[in-house]
Amino acid sequence: MKRIVLWVGLGVFLVIMGLALIRAQKGQVAVGQPAPDFTLTSFDGQDYHLEKLRGSVVVVNFWASWCESCKPEARDLEEAWRTFQDQGVVFLGIDYVDTEPDALTYLEQFDITYPNGPDKRTKISQAYRIKGVPETYIIDQEGIISHVQIGPFRSYEHIITTIAPLLEN
């Protein structure tokens, strides 16, 4: 009986490891692919379901308060949000592996007003297969990823010139 349990346990372990390896080989979500769906519960308790945002351009930014390279783009993202918020563009900030007090301090420090929430159990970052922060995914009105930014945007202008063409369609 012990041998059977041991063999079953080994089999389960090998299946789990195989699935993890297959997932790791897929790489990150890429331009032209449908954006993985998710629901983000913001720090103020609002739910944002990506599928329900169809028809809008959606900017999904993964960040963390401990991320030094996130800080330079924080103000630029907020400025871009203020520029586009009345033009059918939604910004969602996904706080990655952070503490809520530190995250809220970060949002206050950079006067971030667009919706942000924690990535509980890293479900959203796993769906996007992110490698680190910051990473930003711009999703068109049809739910297709149109731009992937690994690392911070260079400037406010870089953000604007990436989003603006999507609004011309």
Side-chain angles (χ1 to χ4, degrees):
M1 183 67 171
K2 284 185 180 181
R3 282 187 177 193
I4 293 172
V5 171
L6 182 61
W7 283 108
V8 168
L10 181 60
V12 169
F13 174 75
L14 290 174
V15 167
I16 291 170
M17 292 305 293
L19 292 173
L21 182 60
I22 289 168
R23 182 178 173 173
Q25 289 176 337
K26 284 184 178 179
Q28 292 175 293
V29 177
V31 170
Q33 293 180 339
D37 192 26
F38 63 87
T39 299
L40 173 71
T41 301
S42 67
F43 287 114
D44 64 3
Q46 298 280 26
D47 284 336
Y48 297 88
H49 190 107
L50 184 62
E51 183 67 30
K52 291 182 180 178
L53 297 174
R54 264 300 150 83
S56 298
V57 171
V58 181
V59 178
V60 178
N61 174 252
F62 291 90
W63 63 276
S65 65
W66 47 262
C67 166
E68 289 303 316
S69 59
C70 294
K71 294 175 182 178
E73 79 171 359
R75 283 190 175 86
D76 292 336
L77 285 166
E78 176 62 23
E79 187 176 354
W81 158 245
R82 291 178 187 199
T83 299
F84 286 121
Q85 67 181 339
D86 296 326
Q87 298 178 43
V89 180
V90 176
F91 280 53
L92 295 175
I94 313 291
D95 183 30
Y96 177 74
V97 188
D98 210 345
T99 65
E100 187 168 330
D102 288 344
L104 293 174
T105 298
Y106 177 95
L107 294 172
E108 185 177 325
Q109 175 185 357
F110 294 103
D111 194 26
I112 306 296
T113 60
Y114 57 88
N116 277 268
D119 186 7
K120 301 216 184 229
R121 295 185 301 270
T122 66
K123 288 181 125 181
I124 303 169
S125 56
Q126 287 181 48
Y128 282 76
R129 300 188 294 275
I130 72 166
K131 299 292 183 196
V133 288
E135 285 187 21
T136 305
Y137 296 81
I138 299 179
I139 303 162
D140 72 13
Q141 295 91 332
E142 302 301 318
I144 304 299
I145 296 175
S146 67
H147 181 82
V148 176
Q149 180 68 36
I150 306 300
F153 279 100
R154 294 184 305 274
S155 64
Y156 164 77
E157 290 76 19
H158 184 200
I159 300 168
I160 296 301
T161 59
T162 304
I163 296 172
L166 297 172
L167 299 174
E168 296 169 3
N169 296 334

